[in-house]
Amino acid sequence: MTDIKYMKRALTLARKGIGKTSPNPAVGCVIVKDGVVVGEGWHHKAGAPHAEALALQAAGDAARGADVYVTLEPCCHTGKTPPCSEALIAAGVRRVVAGMLDPNPVVSGGGIAALNQAGIQTSCGLLEEECRAVNRPFIKQVTTGIPFVTYKCAMTLDGNIATITGESRWISSEESRKQAHRMRSRVDAIMVGVDTVIADNPQLTVRHVRGKNPLRVIVDTRLRTPESVTMLSGKLSTRTIIATCESNPRVHLRYRKQSVTILVCDEFEGRVSMDDLLRKLGSMGVQSILLEGGSRLAGRMLQNRQIDELVFFVAPKIIGNNGFAPFTLLGITSISEAIRLEFTDVSRIGSDIVVTARPEQPCLPA
């Protein structure tokens, strides 16, 4: 029970780094000696000291003979910072309890092996599911090369995301919108289809909470994005990617003049191959994507098993058959063909209900 108590504290610390450490994982560390916490740390951002290093710095000489609780196996390779396993050995700690092995093939098992070889007691797997949940995007991207995709939408109780005229402001409550912006602040990229850009001219920035603005990805097979839209103006353009199948550099030029990145992808069934796009984004270090529409892009990705998690902000409003559904799905004519989901969480926020689900069939590597 004591070990669980300190690992839960390490998890609390690790969660502070969610959305801030990419392409690194979010990690928390607690150092305990004689039943007293002598040092704590969490990874703040890529290139900054790791959680173990910060905890050791806080503990100082008290780290010698202490127990270390860390949510992820200490690294054993040199990147932008020295190996944490070496730092723990040099500090003379007595025991290291890790929540899970590092899924990165460069590390996996190596950190634990180095500690064992130095005579340090180790164990791994304490609260493993909770530790894995903190780093689902990191785990997926580092093992498959593909980002973790979360679909998010606000919808009425009868399943509409907009009226027949396209009006969607505001279906959800102010509290839900704030939470949606918090979700934006925790991902590496936001993705929308070109029809959403043309219809809504969204900013796709973080506004109602403090946080970084993620990359904006527009899926635009034929480069129909108007040059006048907000995402292509001013400083926003430098963090905007247009994924397209249009390969003519002359057509690209007018966007590149606005500092927009053009990402030419393979074509599949007349559209941007989402398999190719996801793999390209993963190779750029993108671990997490928030998919915000439109219905055709979301439906295609759902049917192709490219969405890992779905979050619905359900408002107590009804507009009947005068609206649009969140997904355009092809070929489903019976209930037996329905895409099955598993509810993972249901909660209240403001006047709305937030439903979180995941596909029963796990996503496949692209």
Side-chain angles (χ1 to χ4, degrees), residues 80-161:
K80 292 183 178 179
T81 59
C84 291
S85 56
E86 290 185 7
L88 291 167
I89 293 168
V93 303
R94 182 183 75 90
R95 184 169 71 116
V96 173
V97 180
M100 60 175 287
L101 288 177
D102 192 328
N104 187 342
V106 176
V107 177
S108 191
I112 294 293
L115 295 170
N116 285 333
Q117 190 173 2
I120 296 173
Q121 300 175 38
T122 63
S123 64
C124 190
L126 183 65
L127 300 183
E128 181 171 0
E129 286 305 309
E130 290 91 333
C131 292
R132 292 182 69 86
V134 170
N135 281 308
R136 289 181 300 167
F138 170 75
I139 293 169
K140 184 181 181 187
Q141 193 268 344
V142 82
T143 57
T144 69
I146 304 163
F148 187 95
V149 179
T150 300
Y151 170 78
K152 182 273 296 180
C153 76
M155 61 190 294
T156 60
L157 188 59
D158 57 343
N160 290 295
I161 59 171

Side-chain angles (χ1 to χ4, degrees), residues 187-253:
V187 297
D188 295 329
I190 304 174
M191 181 183 291
V192 294
V194 63
D195 289 337
T196 296
V197 175
I198 292 173
D200 298 341
N201 189 21
Q203 296 182 53
L204 301 187
T205 55
V206 175
R207 297 187 297 280
H208 299 295
V209 298
R210 294 181 62 184
K212 63 176 178 62
N213 285 323
L215 286 170
R216 288 163 292 276
V217 181
I218 303 171
V219 182
D220 183 359
T221 303
R222 303 297 170 213
L223 283 184
R224 295 188 292 121
T225 302
E227 297 166 58
S228 59
V229 298
T230 302
M231 281 192 286
L232 305 191
S233 63
K235 294 181 180 180
L236 294 181
S237 63
T238 62
R239 297 278 290 166
T240 300
I241 295 173
I242 300 180
T244 185
C245 296
E246 174 58 68
S247 59
N248 188 337
R250 292 184 179 179
V251 180
H252 298 175
L253 186 60

